[in-house]
Amino acid sequence: MPSWLMAEPRPVPFRGGGFAPRPRRWVGWAVFAALIALAEIGTRTGFISALTLPRPSDVLLTFGELYRSGLLWKHLLPSLSRLAVGALIGASAGIGIGILIGLFSLIRAGLVPLVAAIFPIPKIALLPLFVIWFGIDEGSKYALIAFGTFTPTVVSTFGAVDNVDRTLIRMGQSFGLSWLSIVRKIVLPGALPGILSGLRVSLAIAIILLVAAEMLGAEYGVGAYILEAGSLYDLERLFAGVTILSLLGLGVSAVIGVAERWLLRWRH
Amino acid sequence: MELRLEHVSHRYGATEVLRDVSLTVPEGRILCVVGPSGCGKSTLLRLMGGLERPDAGAILQTGDPPEGCLNPLTFVFQDFALLPWRSVAGNVSLVLEDRPLGRRARQAIIADVLERTRLGDFARAWPRQLSGGMKQRVAIARALAVRPAVMLLDEPLSALDAQTRELLMEDLVALWSREPFTAVYVTHNLAEAVRLGHAIAVMSRRPGRLREMIEIDRPLEAREVGDVELEARQRELWLLMREEARAADAELVDG
């Protein structure tokens, strides 16, 4: 008698599943809340000394004060305009040049090594140069942010253009579409997902450079505010400033998310 | 309009793909091209459509394309080649937008070809919402929209399952019966070749040469699944190709 006739039948063990990220909306907020609660409890009980970490409720109070005194807008508005102008210049130049690199072999051969050479330069090191070229005022800050946004945008844009499905381009040619139509209706929409995800990285870099630029010479701005708080060892204000930056980052990311949902609605 | 190939040879680098192919695509008929994999049948089609230049020989078109023809040599691709960011109607519209047509005329053509391919209800759907068979019908509608003189079909049913393939073959026969078009139909599927071909060009393995030209006289509408005569022709084709296919299968890809 074969052994399987006598054995008890068992269910086949399950070993699939997993490796499929699913949205869990509240988890992110819960992590934030837990960390803040931990800091609050720690500082109140004295487990964490006031020198190590400010009390979150005090940071909130400082923030409220900043808002009431009107200083918040005085610092935030110049920062936002610097970010907007600098990132707009850098990202549009980056997308433009990236598309040209993707389309023309000559431009690719000429510019890709150049971009590779300037990508690893910490742009902040060039600030003195930018001050001489563009002036101590807004000009040098715009230039720094634009330059820092430009390089990652170029790289992600020409990568996105390279990844456009060639069979779609051949299809366009086989139907006698003009060169311009192929670029406008096939290459650009095909590259858009890659360009947008590249912008996420570029704009985060823009925020970092914004703060760096403001730390090196600005009366008002979130960076100046943080620098001042830091040199006075005023941790509550320092953290209030850092919180503003985080919110700025979340805001930028949300804007790109909305743009993606609208521009790439054919995807989902 | 007729398409004629005269002593066409082509190579990719060191690999000779086609050697001295001469054939004629007669007007109003479907020419199927069959052959073992890698015999250069898709290359042959790309050469006919002007997507590549032959190394030697000539590809000639004789006679004028029919009245109102917008793109004489029009492809239908194996992987459909639909733009995912355009709706069904938008994909058809794409190939009309560069043409001197009014908005009205364009809309009329789109409505007409979608109706002929039974896609009228899906004009606003995105490609990702469609089944494989529907996607290929959109690609066929797009090809019909430019009123081609010659349709160049590159394994159009190979990416589809057997049932869908059967349905689409019936669709193609119905389209052809309603308004006969000239077509070159490249396939590795012999059943498709005997169902759709007025003539079948059998290619040898690489370097591809024209081995034989087989004519099937029975009208397309009269051909059915399980037809004894067609099965016999298919068997005849298979016997012709069998050794070649076996040899081609044993070759290294970049030999």
Side-chain angles (χ1 to χ4, degrees):
Chain A
M1 200 186 227
S3 63
W4 56 266
L5 264 181
M6 299 186 304
E8 270 295 297
R10 303 180 301 280
V12 172
F14 176 69
R15 42 189 181 167
F19 299 99
R22 270 169 297 183
R24 291 263 193 272
R25 238 164 213 293
W26 48 272
V27 178
W29 297 110
V31 171
F32 269 117
L35 282 176
I36 291 170
L38 205 69
E40 184 73 31
I41 295 164
T43 44
R44 271 184 197 279
T45 56
F47 179 69
I48 302 171
S49 84
L51 271 177
T52 331
L53 203 66
R55 200 174 286 176
S57 52
D58 286 346
V59 173
L60 196 67
L61 285 176
T62 314
F63 199 81
E65 211 172 284
L66 188 68
Y67 178 74
R68 273 192 302 279
S69 66
L71 271 175
L72 176 66
W73 297 114
K74 219 166 180 174
H75 286 296
L76 194 56
L77 288 179
S79 287
L80 283 177
S81 77
R82 282 166 196 150
L83 183 68
V85 174
L88 193 71
I89 297 172
S92 19
I95 292 174
I97 305 263
I99 289 170
L100 292 178
I101 290 177
L103 292 177
F104 301 105
S105 306
L106 196 64
I107 297 181
R108 172 185 303 252
L111 291 189
V112 169
L114 187 67
V115 170
I118 58 178
F119 204 167
I121 301 174
K123 308 300 178 293
I124 194 73
L126 298 178
L127 190 65
L129 199 63
F130 287 151
V131 169
I132 296 171
W133 287 355
F134 303 103
I136 187 85
D137 296 330
E138 299 302 294
S140 56
K141 298 182 181 65
Y142 293 156
L144 182 75
I145 297 169
F147 201 47
T149 322
F150 171 75
T151 33
T153 311
V154 168
V155 172
S156 64
T157 302
F158 81 71
V161 173
D162 288 349
N163 274 331
V164 174
D165 191 347
R166 296 294 123 165
T167 60
L168 294 182
I169 295 176
R170 295 281 168 267
M171 181 276 293
Q173 292 175 322
S174 80
F175 278 95
L177 265 60
S178 66
W179 182 86
L180 205 65
S181 280
I182 292 178
V183 171
R184 216 157 48 82
K185 297 170 185 170
I186 300 178
V187 176
L188 292 187
L192 201 56
I195 292 176
L196 284 174
S197 69
L199 273 186
R200 274 183 195 278
V201 178
S202 310
L203 293 183
I205 292 174
I207 295 177
I208 294 172
L209 287 172
L210 163 76
V211 176
E214 288 177 344
M215 282 182 161
L216 288 177
E219 194 182 347
Y220 291 108
V222 180
Y225 177 78
I226 292 176
L227 184 72
E228 193 191 286
S231 52
L232 295 173
Y233 217 78
D234 187 342
L235 286 187
E236 282 82 16
R237 288 175 63 193
L238 181 80
F239 269 74
V242 170
T243 309
I244 295 174
L245 291 182
S246 289
L247 293 176
L248 202 58
L250 284 175
V252 166
S253 167
V255 167
I256 294 180
V258 168
E260 277 181 336
R261 268 197 295 285
W262 165 246
L263 291 170
L264 309 179
R265 60 192 179 286
W266 49 270
R267 264 205 318 200
H268 6 247
Chain B
M1 198 179 91
E2 263 190 13
L3 208 55
R4 207 167 73 235
L5 272 67
E6 287 180 352
H7 307 291
V8 169
S9 298
H10 195 64
R11 48 172 63 241
Y12 292 125
T15 316
E16 191 179 8
V17 223
L18 291 171
R19 182 186 291 173
D20 195 27
V21 176
S22 299
L23 57 81
T24 305
V25 185
E27 189 166 333
R29 311 230 301 163
I30 300 177
L31 170 73
C32 286
V33 179
V34 299
S37 59
C39 73
K41 42 191 195 300
S42 291
T43 306
L44 193 69
L45 204 67
R46 281 202 296 278
L47 291 168
M48 288 185 188
L51 287 181
E52 281 182 57
R53 268 196 205 101
D55 288 339
I59 296 161
L60 306 165
Q61 45 188 63
T62 51
D64 289 320
E67 187 93 13
C69 168
L70 298 172
N71 188 47
L73 303 169
T74 298
F75 279 91
V76 173
F77 298 92
Q78 179 179 357
D79 54 4
F80 323 129
L82 300 178
L83 301 185
W85 47 88
R86 284 198 175 216
S87 66
V88 167
N91 266 287
V92 179
S93 169
L94 174 82
V95 300
L96 300 171
E97 285 163 13
D98 280 11
R99 311 289 174 178
L101 290 170
R103 198 182 149 75
R104 276 272 177 71
R106 197 161 70 215
Q107 296 298 345
I109 294 176
I110 295 171
D112 172 54
V113 294
L114 290 185
E115 186 266 317
R116 275 158 73 189
T117 46
R118 296 180 289 112
L119 287 164
D121 295 339
F122 304 99
R124 300 170 68 107
W126 297 111
R128 71 176 150 82
Q129 298 173 300
L130 306 179
S131 67
M134 276 165 94
K135 281 184 195 159
Q136 196 56 293
R137 293 214 312 268
V138 177
I140 292 169
R142 177 176 65 186
L144 292 173
V146 293
R147 294 176 195 279
V150 180
M151 283 242 256
L152 305 168
L153 302 109
D154 187 5
E155 308 229 12
L157 308 184
S158 295
L160 306 173
D161 63 75
Q163 289 92 338
T164 313
R165 208 178 301 165
E166 203 56 51
L167 291 173
L168 259 156
M169 273 196 267
E170 284 170 14
D171 284 347
L172 283 171
V173 170
L175 280 171
W176 188 88
S177 313
R178 200 169 130 176
E179 201 179 323
F181 51 83
T182 314
V184 182
Y185 188 110
V186 163
T187 181
H188 62 256
N189 185 319
L190 303 181
E192 284 172 29
V194 296
R195 272 294 285 290
L196 297 172
H198 294 100
I200 300 170
V202 184
M203 308 266 298
S204 71
R205 77 187 143 103
R206 199 172 56 210
R209 271 161 303 175
L210 184 62
R211 269 194 68 188
E212 201 137 349
M213 197 65 138
I214 293 177
E215 305 269 338
I216 300 183
D217 296 326
R218 182 182 290 233
L220 290 191
E221 313 89 271
R223 303 183 190 180
E224 269 167 31
V225 196
D227 188 314
V228 181
E229 188 199 326
L230 292 186
E231 300 249 310
R233 302 308 292 270
Q234 189 179 332
R235 195 177 137 73
E236 183 188 329
L237 271 175
W238 172 235
L239 291 177
L240 204 57
M241 280 179 57
R242 191 173 163 174
E243 285 314 308
E244 295 273 355
R246 195 194 298 279
D249 185 52
E251 269 171 23
L252 289 179
V253 174
D254 50 5

